[in-house]
mmCIF file of all heavy atoms in Angstrom:
data_model
loop_
_atom_site.group_PDB
_atom_site.id
_atom_site.type_symbol
_atom_site.label_atom_id
_atom_site.label_comp_id
_atom_site.label_asym_id
_atom_site.label_seq_id
_atom_site.Cartn_x
_atom_site.Cartn_y
_atom_site.Cartn_z
ATOM 1 N N ARG Y 8 -1.585 -8.925 -13.247
ATOM 2 C CA ARG Y 8 -2.354 -7.775 -13.525
ATOM 3 C C ARG Y 8 -3.811 -8.134 -13.894
ATOM 4 O O ARG Y 8 -4.758 -7.519 -13.531
ATOM 5 C CB ARG Y 8 -1.787 -6.865 -14.566
ATOM 6 C CG ARG Y 8 -0.717 -6.035 -14.023
ATOM 7 C CD ARG Y 8 -0.315 -4.926 -14.999
ATOM 8 N NE ARG Y 8 -0.110 -5.439 -16.411
ATOM 9 C CZ ARG Y 8 0.670 -5.043 -17.184
ATOM 10 N NH1 ARG Y 8 1.440 -4.020 -16.943
ATOM 11 N NH2 ARG Y 8 0.752 -5.565 -18.424
ATOM 12 N N ALA Y 11 -5.835 -9.376 -10.948
ATOM 13 C CA ALA Y 11 -6.204 -8.317 -10.077
ATOM 14 C C ALA Y 11 -7.301 -7.526 -10.738
ATOM 15 O O ALA Y 11 -8.343 -7.173 -10.012
ATOM 16 C CB ALA Y 11 -5.027 -7.383 -9.712
ATOM 17 N N ARG Y 12 -7.226 -7.135 -11.951
ATOM 18 C CA ARG Y 12 -8.235 -6.402 -12.610
ATOM 19 C C ARG Y 12 -9.605 -7.122 -12.660
ATOM 20 O O ARG Y 12 -10.616 -6.554 -12.433
ATOM 21 C CB ARG Y 12 -7.871 -6.008 -14.060
ATOM 22 C CG ARG Y 12 -6.902 -4.903 -14.103
ATOM 23 C CD ARG Y 12 -6.630 -4.455 -15.561
ATOM 24 N NE ARG Y 12 -5.639 -3.451 -15.571
ATOM 25 C CZ ARG Y 12 -4.668 -3.500 -16.492
ATOM 26 N NH1 ARG Y 12 -4.593 -4.392 -17.385
ATOM 27 N NH2 ARG Y 12 -3.760 -2.541 -16.466
ATOM 28 N N TYR Y 14 -10.665 -9.400 -10.534
ATOM 29 C CA TYR Y 14 -11.269 -9.326 -9.152
ATOM 30 C C TYR Y 14 -11.793 -7.997 -8.861
ATOM 31 O O TYR Y 14 -12.886 -7.898 -8.363
ATOM 32 C CB TYR Y 14 -10.152 -9.762 -8.136
ATOM 33 C CG TYR Y 14 -10.780 -9.952 -6.759
ATOM 34 C CD1 TYR Y 14 -11.259 -11.174 -6.363
ATOM 35 C CD2 TYR Y 14 -10.990 -8.858 -5.924
ATOM 36 C CE1 TYR Y 14 -11.815 -11.380 -5.113
ATOM 37 C CE2 TYR Y 14 -11.482 -9.089 -4.672
ATOM 38 C CZ TYR Y 14 -11.987 -10.257 -4.279
ATOM 39 O OH TYR Y 14 -12.535 -10.469 -3.107
ATOM 40 N N LEU Y 15 -11.045 -6.923 -9.178
ATOM 41 C CA LEU Y 15 -11.554 -5.611 -8.853
ATOM 42 C C LEU Y 15 -12.783 -5.179 -9.577
ATOM 43 O O LEU Y 15 -13.639 -4.485 -9.163
ATOM 44 C CB LEU Y 15 -10.386 -4.560 -9.099
ATOM 45 C CG LEU Y 15 -9.213 -4.712 -8.171
ATOM 46 C CD1 LEU Y 15 -8.146 -3.677 -8.554
ATOM 47 C CD2 LEU Y 15 -9.674 -4.476 -6.731
ATOM 48 N N ARG Y 16 -12.978 -5.732 -10.822
ATOM 49 C CA ARG Y 16 -14.145 -5.418 -11.577
ATOM 50 C C ARG Y 16 -15.401 -6.052 -10.878
ATOM 51 O O ARG Y 16 -16.500 -5.509 -11.027
ATOM 52 C CB ARG Y 16 -14.065 -5.982 -13.040
ATOM 53 C CG ARG Y 16 -13.603 -4.886 -13.962
ATOM 54 C CD ARG Y 16 -13.652 -5.436 -15.366
ATOM 55 N NE ARG Y 16 -12.321 -5.554 -15.903
ATOM 56 C CZ ARG Y 16 -11.681 -6.662 -16.306
ATOM 57 N NH1 ARG Y 16 -12.423 -7.805 -16.355
ATOM 58 N NH2 ARG Y 16 -10.502 -6.721 -16.662
ATOM 59 N N CYS Y 18 -15.718 -6.424 -7.677
ATOM 60 C CA CYS Y 18 -15.915 -5.846 -6.369
ATOM 61 C C CYS Y 18 -16.588 -4.508 -6.413
ATOM 62 O O CYS Y 18 -16.270 -3.628 -7.282
ATOM 63 C CB CYS Y 18 -14.569 -5.608 -5.665
ATOM 64 S SG CYS Y 18 -13.733 -7.125 -5.239
ATOM 65 N N TYR Y 23 -13.857 -3.898 -1.208
ATOM 66 C CA TYR Y 23 -12.446 -3.856 -1.186
ATOM 67 C C TYR Y 23 -11.870 -4.411 0.133
ATOM 68 O O TYR Y 23 -10.841 -4.987 0.154
ATOM 69 C CB TYR Y 23 -11.891 -2.444 -1.458
ATOM 70 C CG TYR Y 23 -11.810 -2.069 -2.892
ATOM 71 C CD1 TYR Y 23 -12.792 -1.406 -3.515
ATOM 72 C CD2 TYR Y 23 -10.734 -2.534 -3.643
ATOM 73 C CE1 TYR Y 23 -12.740 -1.045 -4.862
ATOM 74 C CE2 TYR Y 23 -10.623 -2.171 -4.941
ATOM 75 C CZ TYR Y 23 -11.629 -1.465 -5.572
ATOM 76 O OH TYR Y 23 -11.599 -1.200 -6.825
ATOM 77 N N LEU Y 26 -11.105 -8.036 -0.053
ATOM 78 C CA LEU Y 26 -9.910 -8.352 -0.762
ATOM 79 C C LEU Y 26 -8.694 -8.128 0.101
ATOM 80 O O LEU Y 26 -7.723 -8.950 0.042
ATOM 81 C CB LEU Y 26 -9.813 -7.405 -2.006
ATOM 82 C CG LEU Y 26 -8.465 -7.448 -2.785
ATOM 83 C CD1 LEU Y 26 -8.267 -8.833 -3.413
ATOM 84 C CD2 LEU Y 26 -8.432 -6.377 -3.806
ATOM 85 N N ALA Y 38 1.563 -4.516 -3.961
ATOM 86 C CA ALA Y 38 0.842 -3.355 -4.669
ATOM 87 C C ALA Y 38 1.584 -3.118 -5.952
ATOM 88 O O ALA Y 38 2.740 -2.927 -6.047
ATOM 89 C CB ALA Y 38 0.781 -2.131 -3.758
ATOM 90 N N ILE Y 39 0.710 -3.024 -7.068
ATOM 91 C CA ILE Y 39 1.244 -2.510 -8.298
ATOM 92 C C ILE Y 39 0.331 -1.555 -8.868
ATOM 93 O O ILE Y 39 -0.832 -1.481 -8.522
ATOM 94 C CB ILE Y 39 1.379 -3.765 -9.315
ATOM 95 C CG1 ILE Y 39 0.063 -4.407 -9.623
ATOM 96 C CG2 ILE Y 39 2.423 -4.809 -8.864
ATOM 97 C CD1 ILE Y 39 0.048 -5.446 -10.767
ATOM 98 N N THR Y 40 0.804 -0.720 -9.785
ATOM 99 C CA THR Y 40 -0.103 0.249 -10.500
ATOM 100 C C THR Y 40 -0.788 -0.496 -11.630
ATOM 101 O O THR Y 40 -0.378 -1.590 -12.026
ATOM 102 C CB THR Y 40 0.741 1.425 -11.018
ATOM 103 O OG1 THR Y 40 1.646 1.001 -12.009
ATOM 104 C CG2 THR Y 40 1.584 2.089 -9.901
ATOM 105 N N THR Y 41 -1.750 0.189 -12.215
ATOM 106 C CA THR Y 41 -2.475 -0.368 -13.315
ATOM 107 C C THR Y 41 -1.541 -0.473 -14.541
ATOM 108 O O THR Y 41 -1.874 -1.221 -15.458
ATOM 109 C CB THR Y 41 -3.776 0.402 -13.665
ATOM 110 O OG1 THR Y 41 -3.416 1.794 -13.771
ATOM 111 C CG2 THR Y 41 -4.771 0.232 -12.576
ATOM 112 N N ARG Y 42 -0.429 0.278 -14.529
ATOM 113 C CA ARG Y 42 0.560 0.155 -15.613
ATOM 114 C C ARG Y 42 1.543 -0.952 -15.408
ATOM 115 O O ARG Y 42 2.501 -1.085 -16.167
ATOM 116 C CB ARG Y 42 1.205 1.506 -15.781
ATOM 117 C CG ARG Y 42 0.332 2.552 -16.387
ATOM 118 C CD ARG Y 42 1.078 3.862 -16.587
ATOM 119 N NE ARG Y 42 0.306 4.906 -15.973
ATOM 120 C CZ ARG Y 42 0.822 5.813 -15.179
ATOM 121 N NH1 ARG Y 42 2.079 5.853 -14.860
ATOM 122 N NH2 ARG Y 42 0.046 6.725 -14.617
ATOM 123 N N GLY Y 43 1.417 -1.642 -14.252
ATOM 124 C CA GLY Y 43 2.337 -2.766 -14.008
ATOM 125 C C GLY Y 43 3.560 -2.410 -13.205
ATOM 126 O O GLY Y 43 4.479 -3.246 -13.045
ATOM 127 N N ARG Y 44 3.692 -1.200 -12.766
ATOM 128 C CA ARG Y 44 4.895 -0.833 -11.968
ATOM 129 C C ARG Y 44 4.742 -1.285 -10.529
ATOM 130 O O ARG Y 44 3.679 -1.070 -9.912
ATOM 131 C CB ARG Y 44 5.051 0.707 -11.979
ATOM 132 C CG ARG Y 44 5.217 1.317 -13.328
ATOM 133 C CD ARG Y 44 6.564 1.060 -13.919
ATOM 134 N NE ARG Y 44 7.538 1.721 -13.024
ATOM 135 C CZ ARG Y 44 8.825 1.648 -13.208
ATOM 136 N NH1 ARG Y 44 9.298 1.128 -14.300
ATOM 137 N NH2 ARG Y 44 9.657 2.189 -12.282
ATOM 138 N N VAL Y 46 4.945 -1.240 -6.751
ATOM 139 C CA VAL Y 46 5.107 -0.219 -5.665
ATOM 140 C C VAL Y 46 5.646 -0.835 -4.412
ATOM 141 O O VAL Y 46 6.587 -0.279 -3.832
ATOM 142 C CB VAL Y 46 3.675 0.325 -5.351
ATOM 143 C CG1 VAL Y 46 3.781 1.353 -4.239
ATOM 144 C CG2 VAL Y 46 3.084 0.953 -6.637
ATOM 145 N N LEU Y 95 1.013 7.656 0.637
ATOM 146 C CA LEU Y 95 0.024 7.784 -0.441
ATOM 147 C C LEU Y 95 -1.381 7.676 0.255
ATOM 148 O O LEU Y 95 -1.610 6.803 1.021
ATOM 149 C CB LEU Y 95 0.109 6.640 -1.321
ATOM 150 C CG LEU Y 95 1.435 6.367 -2.055
ATOM 151 C CD1 LEU Y 95 1.428 5.157 -2.904
ATOM 152 C CD2 LEU Y 95 1.881 7.574 -2.873
ATOM 153 N N LEU Y 97 -5.273 7.179 -0.350
ATOM 154 C CA LEU Y 97 -6.107 6.471 -1.362
ATOM 155 C C LEU Y 97 -7.601 6.619 -1.067
ATOM 156 O O LEU Y 97 -7.976 6.658 0.106
ATOM 157 C CB LEU Y 97 -5.701 4.982 -1.296
ATOM 158 C CG LEU Y 97 -4.291 4.690 -1.476
ATOM 159 C CD1 LEU Y 97 -3.986 3.176 -1.098
ATOM 160 C CD2 LEU Y 97 -3.804 4.948 -2.865
ATOM 161 N N ASP Y 98 -8.378 6.624 -2.113
ATOM 162 C CA ASP Y 98 -9.814 6.673 -1.837
ATOM 163 C C ASP Y 98 -10.358 5.239 -1.906
ATOM 164 O O ASP Y 98 -9.607 4.246 -1.878
ATOM 165 C CB ASP Y 98 -10.609 7.445 -2.954
ATOM 166 C CG ASP Y 98 -10.454 6.922 -4.379
ATOM 167 O OD1 ASP Y 98 -9.933 5.735 -4.542
ATOM 168 O OD2 ASP Y 98 -10.897 7.597 -5.329
ATOM 169 N N ASN Y 99 -11.699 5.019 -1.833
ATOM 170 C CA ASN Y 99 -12.202 3.681 -1.700
ATOM 171 C C ASN Y 99 -12.022 2.850 -2.963
ATOM 172 O O ASN Y 99 -12.200 1.594 -2.890
ATOM 173 C CB ASN Y 99 -13.706 3.777 -1.272
ATOM 174 C CG ASN Y 99 -14.569 4.356 -2.360
ATOM 175 O OD1 ASN Y 99 -14.099 5.091 -3.208
ATOM 176 N ND2 ASN Y 99 -15.840 4.167 -2.264
ATOM 177 N N ARG Y 100 -11.679 3.413 -4.106
ATOM 178 C CA ARG Y 100 -11.457 2.689 -5.321
ATOM 179 C C ARG Y 100 -9.905 2.515 -5.590
ATOM 180 O O ARG Y 100 -9.509 2.133 -6.650
ATOM 181 C CB ARG Y 100 -12.110 3.378 -6.534
ATOM 182 C CG ARG Y 100 -13.575 3.463 -6.422
ATOM 183 C CD ARG Y 100 -14.320 2.200 -6.593
ATOM 184 N NE ARG Y 100 -14.160 1.679 -7.912
ATOM 185 C CZ ARG Y 100 -14.595 0.478 -8.255
ATOM 186 N NH1 ARG Y 100 -15.147 -0.316 -7.448
ATOM 187 N NH2 ARG Y 100 -14.421 0.154 -9.518
ATOM 188 N N MET Y 101 -9.075 2.820 -4.569
ATOM 189 C CA MET Y 101 -7.692 2.669 -4.627
ATOM 190 C C MET Y 101 -6.993 3.667 -5.545
ATOM 191 O O MET Y 101 -5.877 3.400 -6.063
ATOM 192 C CB MET Y 101 -7.247 1.211 -4.921
ATOM 193 C CG MET Y 101 -7.652 0.259 -3.916
ATOM 194 S SD MET Y 101 -6.905 0.656 -2.361
ATOM 195 C CE MET Y 101 -7.946 -0.321 -1.272
ATOM 196 N N HIS Y 102 -7.614 4.815 -5.906
ATOM 197 C CA HIS Y 102 -6.969 5.855 -6.669
ATOM 198 C C HIS Y 102 -6.196 6.733 -5.704
ATOM 199 O O HIS Y 102 -6.683 7.099 -4.555
ATOM 200 C CB HIS Y 102 -7.954 6.736 -7.422
ATOM 201 C CG HIS Y 102 -8.613 5.982 -8.578
ATOM 202 N ND1 HIS Y 102 -9.779 5.256 -8.437
ATOM 203 C CD2 HIS Y 102 -8.183 5.775 -9.890
ATOM 204 C CE1 HIS Y 102 -10.063 4.743 -9.604
ATOM 205 N NE2 HIS Y 102 -9.112 5.007 -10.480
ATOM 206 N N ILE Y 103 -5.041 7.190 -6.084
ATOM 207 C CA ILE Y 103 -4.161 8.034 -5.272
ATOM 208 C C ILE Y 103 -4.745 9.483 -5.241
ATOM 209 O O ILE Y 103 -4.903 10.111 -6.352
ATOM 210 C CB ILE Y 103 -2.734 7.990 -5.716
ATOM 211 C CG1 ILE Y 103 -2.265 6.568 -5.511
ATOM 212 C CG2 ILE Y 103 -1.883 8.950 -4.951
ATOM 213 C CD1 ILE Y 103 -0.891 6.357 -6.153
ATOM 214 N N LEU Y 104 -5.054 9.960 -4.074
ATOM 215 C CA LEU Y 104 -5.612 11.284 -3.935
ATOM 216 C C LEU Y 104 -4.475 12.362 -3.674
ATOM 217 O O LEU Y 104 -4.545 13.461 -4.152
ATOM 218 C CB LEU Y 104 -6.589 11.374 -2.727
ATOM 219 C CG LEU Y 104 -7.792 10.509 -2.822
ATOM 220 C CD1 LEU Y 104 -8.585 10.550 -1.572
ATOM 221 C CD2 LEU Y 104 -8.693 10.910 -4.017
ATOM 222 N N ALA Y 136 8.430 4.222 -8.452
ATOM 223 C CA ALA Y 136 7.319 3.494 -9.112
ATOM 224 C C ALA Y 136 6.472 4.354 -10.081
ATOM 225 O O ALA Y 136 5.580 3.936 -10.697
ATOM 226 C CB ALA Y 136 6.384 2.909 -8.069
ATOM 227 N N GLY Y 137 6.924 5.650 -10.193
ATOM 228 C CA GLY Y 137 6.207 6.551 -11.118
ATOM 229 C C GLY Y 137 4.868 6.899 -10.674
ATOM 230 O O GLY Y 137 3.925 7.076 -11.496
ATOM 231 N N ILE Y 138 4.675 7.042 -9.346
ATOM 232 C CA ILE Y 138 3.303 7.311 -8.753
ATOM 233 C C ILE Y 138 2.945 8.767 -9.121
ATOM 234 O O ILE Y 138 3.752 9.670 -8.976
ATOM 235 C CB ILE Y 138 3.309 7.142 -7.243
ATOM 236 C CG1 ILE Y 138 3.611 5.660 -6.883
ATOM 237 C CG2 ILE Y 138 2.072 7.642 -6.616
ATOM 238 C CD1 ILE Y 138 2.561 4.734 -7.365
ATOM 239 N N GLU Y 139 1.660 8.943 -9.546
ATOM 240 C CA GLU Y 139 1.093 10.255 -9.868
ATOM 241 C C GLU Y 139 -0.274 10.221 -9.177
ATOM 242 O O GLU Y 139 -0.857 9.205 -8.945
ATOM 243 C CB GLU Y 139 0.918 10.479 -11.317
ATOM 244 C CG GLU Y 139 2.258 10.425 -12.068
ATOM 245 C CD GLU Y 139 1.992 10.516 -13.604
ATOM 246 O OE1 GLU Y 139 0.794 10.321 -14.054
ATOM 247 O OE2 GLU Y 139 2.948 10.647 -14.357
ATOM 248 N N ILE Y 140 -0.805 11.422 -8.918
ATOM 249 C CA ILE Y 140 -2.171 11.567 -8.353
ATOM 250 C C ILE Y 140 -3.145 11.079 -9.439
ATOM 251 O O ILE Y 140 -2.957 11.329 -10.650
ATOM 252 C CB ILE Y 140 -2.507 13.015 -8.081
ATOM 253 C CG1 ILE Y 140 -1.688 13.496 -6.896
ATOM 254 C CG2 ILE Y 140 -3.978 13.201 -7.778
ATOM 255 C CD1 ILE Y 140 -1.715 14.951 -6.488
ATOM 256 N N GLY Y 141 -4.067 10.176 -9.013
ATOM 257 C CA GLY Y 141 -4.993 9.577 -9.949
ATOM 258 C C GLY Y 141 -4.632 8.146 -10.302
ATOM 259 O O GLY Y 141 -5.443 7.453 -10.846
ATOM 260 N N THR Y 142 -3.437 7.786 -10.155
ATOM 261 C CA THR Y 142 -3.068 6.425 -10.392
ATOM 262 C C THR Y 142 -3.772 5.440 -9.531
ATOM 263 O O THR Y 142 -4.029 5.661 -8.359
ATOM 264 C CB THR Y 142 -1.496 6.204 -10.175
ATOM 265 O OG1 THR Y 142 -0.744 7.147 -10.992
ATOM 266 C CG2 THR Y 142 -1.075 4.771 -10.445
ATOM 267 N N GLN Y 143 -4.232 4.349 -10.103
ATOM 268 C CA GLN Y 143 -4.932 3.315 -9.286
ATOM 269 C C GLN Y 143 -3.939 2.119 -8.931
ATOM 270 O O GLN Y 143 -3.199 1.755 -9.759
ATOM 271 C CB GLN Y 143 -6.135 2.781 -10.126
ATOM 272 C CG GLN Y 143 -6.953 1.823 -9.250
ATOM 273 C CD GLN Y 143 -8.167 1.270 -10.025
ATOM 274 O OE1 GLN Y 143 -8.224 1.380 -11.231
ATOM 275 N NE2 GLN Y 143 -9.119 0.735 -9.243
ATOM 276 N N LEU Y 144 -4.075 1.731 -7.719
ATOM 277 C CA LEU Y 144 -3.244 0.610 -7.186
ATOM 278 C C LEU Y 144 -4.105 -0.668 -7.260
ATOM 279 O O LEU Y 144 -5.270 -0.656 -7.004
ATOM 280 C CB LEU Y 144 -2.799 0.847 -5.754
ATOM 281 C CG LEU Y 144 -1.839 1.995 -5.560
ATOM 282 C CD1 LEU Y 144 -1.395 2.007 -4.103
ATOM 283 C CD2 LEU Y 144 -0.683 1.943 -6.447
ATOM 284 N N LEU Y 145 -3.420 -1.712 -7.644
ATOM 285 C CA LEU Y 145 -4.002 -3.116 -7.627
ATOM 286 C C LEU Y 145 -3.376 -3.842 -6.548
ATOM 287 O O LEU Y 145 -2.157 -3.782 -6.286
ATOM 288 C CB LEU Y 145 -3.802 -3.780 -9.008
ATOM 289 C CG LEU Y 145 -4.315 -3.015 -10.156
ATOM 290 C CD1 LEU Y 145 -3.966 -3.773 -11.428
ATOM 291 C CD2 LEU Y 145 -5.860 -2.902 -10.091
ATOM 292 N N TRP Y 146 -4.039 -4.719 -5.808
ATOM 293 C CA TRP Y 146 -3.555 -5.468 -4.692
ATOM 294 C C TRP Y 146 -3.510 -6.935 -5.030
ATOM 295 O O TRP Y 146 -4.572 -7.471 -5.505
ATOM 296 C CB TRP Y 146 -4.306 -5.225 -3.476
ATOM 297 C CG TRP Y 146 -4.310 -3.843 -3.015
ATOM 298 C CD1 TRP Y 146 -5.154 -2.838 -3.315
ATOM 299 C CD2 TRP Y 146 -3.259 -3.228 -2.229
ATOM 300 N NE1 TRP Y 146 -4.742 -1.662 -2.777
ATOM 301 C CE2 TRP Y 146 -3.566 -1.855 -2.077
ATOM 302 C CE3 TRP Y 146 -2.138 -3.694 -1.595
ATOM 303 C CZ2 TRP Y 146 -2.800 -0.995 -1.370
ATOM 304 C CZ3 TRP Y 146 -1.283 -2.807 -0.908
ATOM 305 C CH2 TRP Y 146 -1.652 -1.506 -0.779
#
Side-chain angles (χ1 to χ4, degrees):
R8 279 194 312 211
R12 283 189 185 134
Y14 188 90
L15 292 176
R16 266 188 247 120
C18 290
Y23 275 97
L26 171 67
I39 62 171
T40 66
T41 52
R42 289 184 232 130
R44 300 286 301 181
V46 178
L95 305 178
L97 308 165
D98 66 7
N99 64 342
R100 300 290 291 172
M101 297 299 165
H102 287 94
I103 296 172
L104 300 173
I138 296 293
E139 300 171 350
I140 293 176
T142 301
Q143 185 177 18
L144 295 185
L145 303 176
W146 295 95

